[in-house]
Amino acid sequence: MEEEYIRLVFGLKLKQIRTDKNLSLFGLAKLTGLSKSYLNEIEKGKKYPKTDKIVILSEKLEVPYDHLVSLKLDKNLAPIGEILQSKILKEIPLDLFGIQENNLIDIIANAPAKVNAFISTIIKIAQNYNLTRESFFLAALRSYQEAHNNYFEDIENKVIDFAKAYHIKLDEPINSKDLEDVLVEEYGYTIDTEELSQHQKLSELRNIFIPKTKTLLLYNDISEAQKTFIYAKELAYNYLDVENRLYTFPWIKFESFDQVLNNFIASYFAGALIIPKDDLTKKLTHLFSLQTWQPLQLHKIIRSYNCSDETFYQRLTNILPKYFSIKNLFFLRFTHKEDSPIYRLSKELHITQQQSPHANRNNEHYCRRWVAIKTIQDLEASKEKKSAYGIQISSYENSDNEYLVLSAATADPFKENINRSVNIGMLLSPHLKRKLQFFNEDMFIKRTVGVTCETCAVQNCKERVAEPSVLIKQSRNKEIEKIVENIIQSHT
């Protein structure tokens, strides 16, 4: 057993015995002759008393010595023991949110039965919704990003320092050769573009890093933008001295939350290097100052960087909140297998508000009126297209909120017969309308949208693919409730 666990168990038991006897820490100190601060440290699991001190506590509290030192917990504290033994508190990145483990243990110890019921509920919800360990880590990461408006000044500054150190011009497009030279010359990498392509079952991977030989295996048909992003992530791992990292792109599985966080940091670094903040801010300022909406100007900005649409849209979630105070926004990525009725929300990020939609695990059908799905449909309807773009004002049913949503759809670069769209939505607030000089409601398609067909009350929807079963059930329950009330009233 870990010493830490033994200390925590003893402290929890002592605190429970003391509170059961209606003793304050001050009262226990007077009773035993031990200092209040010493007893407090024992209860918090910071110290384990010596044998003579345990004898004193046993005698004065009138509990058997063996009971005090036993690791067996009673019914009320047993759930806490299970939590501590499972090491789940080590898995949760408490420090990211300013929470100390001991503080959390105190909360649990003060109301063990209630906290245990709450934790059990969360676990059951996670099981019912197939929430994996990786999903839990990713959800924690999203919360961390949202808490910081998805902008991290320290990483941005590291990118500038890196560019200065290696004479990389941030006001010019960065290509893969610029970054490959640094990897090879500075960090001793060997780049292999042949071996990975020989493994058919690994066709969904774009790279594998072999740390022992510092060999980077690259799939031979990746695009220039993909190669540049992969090189930029590798540089981030090295320049930032990140050791606990992932070795494949895309990732296969995470071993710990640190790997999730470090993967995000490396990706953020890569995006900030390929799309520098000062240059992007300058171009967006010009775009927003135009008196009419000119989509070609936006495409021109995207194509001025050696990046994918997804990298660009994700970079917007860093820059818009920080430099334009556009914080009520969301980023979504949908994927769709051709000829399948299912569209999946595979990535989401919400800044400041929890805007709809969210990934649901109820097998409900997402609203087909979203531009996010429409662009995928447009892409698949024309096989000659390599990409499809759209913009729409989405007015949510039963809500005053409206969002200006931009969408871009392309084939998934990692999976065959899979298409995907990346989308950024901005709340149509007075602030946003002032920022976007080109904004004119008559210029954009405006559609009333729901979240899922099963929860949507929009009448005569041509795009509906499932009946509003959730609403039908709610309506039926209300009718039953009303009849029951009438019956009860008639008998009083």
Side-chain angles (χ1 to χ4, degrees):
M1 296 292 250
E2 293 181 11
E3 289 184 12
E4 182 182 27
Y5 174 73
I6 296 172
R7 292 198 306 271
L8 286 168
V9 168
F10 189 94
L12 288 170
K13 292 178 80 169
L14 179 61
K15 183 173 183 177
Q16 185 185 42
I17 294 167
R18 174 177 64 79
T19 53
D20 285 347
K21 292 180 177 292
N22 293 319
L23 273 172
S24 65
L25 267 175
F26 179 82
L28 182 60
K30 286 193 70 175
L31 181 66
T32 61
L34 304 174
S35 73
K36 179 182 171 183
S37 60
Y38 177 65
L39 292 169
N40 186 47
E41 288 191 317
I42 292 174
E43 289 191 357
K44 288 183 177 296
K46 293 180 179 179
K47 288 186 177 179
Y48 191 88
K50 293 182 179 179
T51 303
D52 59 328
K53 302 296 190 297
I54 299 174
V55 170
I56 293 172
L57 289 168
S58 170
E59 290 175 351
K60 298 300 182 182
L61 290 172
E62 298 178 341
V63 294
Y65 179 97
D66 289 346
H67 174 70
L68 271 179
V69 299
S70 168
L71 292 174
K72 185 177 180 181
L73 294 166
D74 65 19
K75 184 174 66 176
N76 286 337
L77 291 178
I80 303 173
E82 291 176 10
I83 291 169
L84 294 174
Q85 280 191 302
S86 70
K87 299 186 180 179
I88 191 171
L89 295 183
K90 301 295 184 187
E91 295 275 4
I92 302 172
L94 298 172
D95 56 317
L96 282 184
F97 303 98
I99 301 172
Q100 297 297 317
E101 184 178 324
N102 282 335
N103 293 340
L104 191 60
I105 291 169
D106 272 349
I107 294 170
I108 297 171
N110 286 331
K114 292 179 180 178
V115 174
N116 176 55
F118 175 74
I119 291 174
S120 296
T121 300
I122 296 298
I123 291 171
K124 286 175 182 175
I125 291 172
Q127 290 170 341
N128 289 339
Y129 285 84
N130 299 319
L131 184 63
T132 63
R133 185 165 170 265
E134 286 87 352
S135 298
F136 173 78
F137 286 159
L138 291 170
L141 175 63
R142 282 200 304 273
S143 297
Y144 176 61
Q145 291 175 257
E146 291 160 6
H148 291 81
N149 290 329
N150 203 31
Y151 184 84
F152 297 88
E153 190 75 42
D154 54 337
I155 306 177
E156 300 281 353
N157 290 335
K158 289 291 186 181
V159 167
I160 294 171
D161 293 343
F162 172 83
K164 287 179 181 177
Y166 294 98
H167 295 280
I168 293 175
K169 297 179 180 179
L170 294 179
D171 57 350
E172 295 179 5
I174 294 173
N175 60 56
S176 62
K177 188 65 172 66
D178 296 330
L179 305 185
E180 182 178 326
D181 289 343
V182 180
L183 282 173
V184 173
E185 298 297 330
E186 180 73 8
Y187 296 108
Y189 270 50
T190 299
I191 311 295
D192 185 330
T193 59
E194 300 298 327
E195 183 175 344
L196 186 56
S197 307
Q198 296 171 11
H199 300 272
Q200 189 175 0
K201 290 185 178 180
L202 300 181
S203 60
E204 292 183 4
L205 296 182
R206 290 300 174 261
N207 77 274
I208 299 175
F209 177 65
I210 304 170
K212 187 175 182 180
T213 59
K214 285 195 171 183
T215 301
L216 184 64
L217 305 182
L218 285 181
Y219 205 73
N220 60 12
D221 68 345
I222 62 173
S223 68
E224 166 64 12
Q226 288 174 334
K227 186 185 294 185
T228 303
F229 189 82
I230 290 169
Y231 286 167
K233 281 189 70 175
E234 289 299 322
L235 286 169
Y237 283 132
N238 285 273
Y239 187 72
L240 302 176
D241 294 321
V242 174
E243 294 183 358
N244 192 3
R245 53 159 293 179
L246 301 174
Y247 296 113
T248 66
F249 179 69
W251 60 271
I252 301 171
K253 67 174 183 176
F254 296 115
E255 297 294 342
S256 66
F257 180 78
D258 281 345
Q259 289 184 346
V260 177
L261 181 61
N262 290 336
N263 180 68
F264 163 72
I265 290 171
S267 297
Y268 189 109
F269 183 100
L273 179 62
I274 296 167
I275 309 174
K277 62 177 182 178
D278 292 340
D279 188 67
L280 178 57
T281 302
K282 180 180 176 181
K283 290 174 180 175
L284 288 177
T285 300
H286 173 69
L287 176 69
F288 294 166
S289 70
L290 299 176
Q291 296 303 304
T292 58
W293 167 240
Q294 298 179 32
L296 289 178
Q297 289 297 319
L298 174 60
H299 299 323
K300 185 177 178 181
I301 293 173
I302 298 173
R303 297 302 163 239
S304 69
Y305 302 109
N306 187 10
C307 70
S308 66
D309 288 331
E310 177 164 359
T311 299
F312 182 82
Y313 275 51
Q314 293 226 53
R315 187 65 172 140
L316 289 180
T317 68
N318 309 138
I319 300 303
L320 292 179
K322 175 66 176 180
Y323 292 100
F324 297 91
S325 296
I326 300 174
K327 298 179 181 179
N328 291 316
L329 59 81
F330 60 78
F331 170 88
L332 305 173
R333 181 180 69 204
F334 280 89
T335 59
H336 179 245
K337 185 176 183 179
E338 293 182 17
D339 300 323
S340 168
I342 305 299
Y343 290 81
R344 300 189 184 280
L345 180 49
S346 56
K347 193 169 189 178
E348 60 179 309
L349 181 68
H350 303 261
I351 308 295
T352 72
Q353 289 189 15
Q354 291 298 302
Q355 303 93 347
S356 293
H358 294 281
N360 77 75
R361 302 179 191 277
N362 290 325
N363 295 319
E364 293 180 8
H365 298 79
Y366 289 113
C367 178
R368 299 306 198 251
R369 294 184 172 206
W370 294 338
V371 68
I373 290 178
K374 180 68 165 54
T375 50
I376 294 177
Q377 292 173 339
D378 288 345
L379 178 71
E380 294 174 349
S382 176
K383 296 297 183 182
E384 296 178 0
K385 279 188 179 180
K386 292 185 178 180
S387 57
Y389 299 91
I391 186 169
Q392 171 181 304
I393 296 175
S394 291
S395 176
Y396 279 88
E397 175 211 12
N398 298 326
S399 170
D400 295 330
N401 289 343
E402 294 183 337
Y403 291 87
L404 182 65
V405 185
L406 287 80
S407 179
T410 58
D412 191 314
F414 307 116
K415 298 176 182 177
E416 290 185 10
N417 301 319
I418 301 290
N419 298 303
R420 66 184 187 180
S421 70
V422 290
N423 312 268
I424 190 163
M426 298 168 282
L427 180 68
L428 275 178
S429 62
H431 169 73
L432 181 68
K433 292 177 181 179
R434 287 194 299 271
K435 284 287 182 183
L436 307 182
Q437 297 295 310
F438 59 75
F439 183 78
N440 183 334
E441 294 200 33
D442 297 333
M443 189 176 295
F444 304 107
I445 295 173
K446 185 174 182 178
R447 306 208 71 186
T448 300
V449 301
V451 178
T452 65
C453 290
E454 288 80 356
T455 61
C456 180
V458 173
Q459 300 293 320
N460 303 316
C461 177
K462 295 180 181 178
E463 292 87 352
R464 181 181 290 281
V465 293
E467 65 175 9
S469 56
V470 173
L471 298 183
I472 291 171
K473 183 178 180 180
Q474 289 175 352
S475 177
R476 186 170 63 247
N477 288 343
K478 283 183 179 180
E479 288 181 11
I480 293 171
E481 183 181 349
K482 190 172 182 180
I483 293 171
V484 170
E485 283 182 8
N486 291 336
I487 292 172
I488 292 173
Q489 289 177 0
S490 69
H491 285 76
T492 56

